[in-house]
Amino acid sequence: MFDGTSGEWLARISEAGKKRMALTVEQRTREPEAIPDVWLAFAPVKRTQTDWLVEKATELGIAKLIPVITQRTIAERVKLERLRSIATEAAEQCGRTRLPTIDEPISLAQLLKQADRAIYFADEGGGEPAASAFKPGPAVILTGPEGGFTDDERAVIRAAPNAIPVSLGPRILRAETAALAALAVYMAVAGDWC
Ligand code: SAH
């Protein structure tokens, strides 16, 4: 068993009914995992792609997911309960004992105000190559919607003192590919794959 925060526990089924069952917790089998303090701030995309993004980001070890509403965000309503259950399944599947936090959607301005950490801004317009840009330490990776950030938004993000524009190579990636590629590179060079 796991509750997302206290590690993993061995339990015995002490009562099994049709609609409910009771478990007796016996002992802790794993301590809560230590995961890198990296968040993903992403502009929600269509439902299937957003589901996919949440599942894969959980497998890759994300600590927190923040849907960010941008000028060109085209998304059906973000259903947090659904995303949380996708993250729970992904965590079970890959043996994570800590669930990622999934925040309520916020605006880009709110994100920039709240994120008191390095903001790695995935910008197809250019930036430092991802492999050398990412450094260990609290971070948020910011990726845009299908249509990209507007020029105004890009200027506002770049003007933030803690923003670091990052390039993910010469090809324009789809929003969810960009988010996951950036996260994989972060884990490899600054997270817990190294
Ligand atoms: N503006 C583009 C599409 C944006 S791609 C267009 O319509 O032509 C969606 C998001 O993925 C972007 O906002 C950016 O955050 C990220 N992204 C895609 N390719 C990238 C790359 N090569 N380097 C950095 N970020 C990229």
Side-chain angles (χ1 to χ4, degrees):
M1 286 172 56
F2 82 115
D3 62 2
T5 53
S6 70
E8 186 187 76
W9 300 80
L10 180 70
R12 179 186 304 280
I13 300 173
S14 45
E15 192 192 310
K18 274 210 176 109
K19 291 204 175 136
R20 32 171 288 143
M21 71 175 170
L23 299 170
T24 308
V25 177
E26 299 202 324
Q27 70 184 72
R28 176 138 68 184
T29 45
R30 283 163 69 204
E31 294 295 316
E33 65 183 328
I35 42 174
D37 188 7
V38 58
W39 306 343
L40 187 59
F42 67 100
V45 277
K46 292 199 193 94
R47 198 172 84 174
T48 321
Q49 281 91 338
T50 303
D51 289 356
W52 196 76
L53 189 157
V54 168
E55 180 180 291
K56 302 307 168 203
T58 303
E59 289 176 43
L60 293 173
I62 198 69
K64 190 209 278 264
L65 288 152
I66 312 170
V68 176
I69 307 305
T70 69
Q71 288 179 33
R72 294 190 185 139
T73 300
I74 311 167
E76 299 133 55
R77 215 166 60 80
V78 180
K79 297 204 176 79
L80 289 182
E81 276 323 302
R82 178 188 166 79
L83 297 182
R84 288 182 181 133
S85 77
I86 289 171
T88 305
E89 270 176 40
E92 283 167 6
Q93 196 270 326
C94 71
R96 272 184 74 154
T97 59
R98 203 185 280 277
L99 289 175
T101 311
I102 306 183
D103 280 1
E104 296 281 343
I106 57 173
S107 68
L108 181 61
Q110 277 173 300
L111 176 82
L112 296 176
K113 210 164 79 190
Q114 283 172 21
D116 50 351
R117 48 181 54 223
I119 302 174
Y120 294 108
F121 165 38
D123 189 359
E124 69 278 15
E128 197 181 335
S132 56
F134 293 132
K135 301 280 181 296
V140 54
I141 295 168
L142 171 63
T143 58
E146 279 308 299
F149 288 107
T150 62
D151 288 344
D152 284 357
E153 287 174 324
R154 290 178 55 220
V156 169
I157 302 167
R158 282 175 170 263
N162 46 342
I164 302 146
V166 170
S167 164
L168 300 169
R171 287 162 293 274
I172 296 192
L173 307 176
R174 287 183 63 156
E176 69 278 14
T177 316
L180 295 170
L183 179 56
V185 177
Y186 179 92
M187 287 301 182
V189 303
D192 61 5
W193 299 2
C194 39

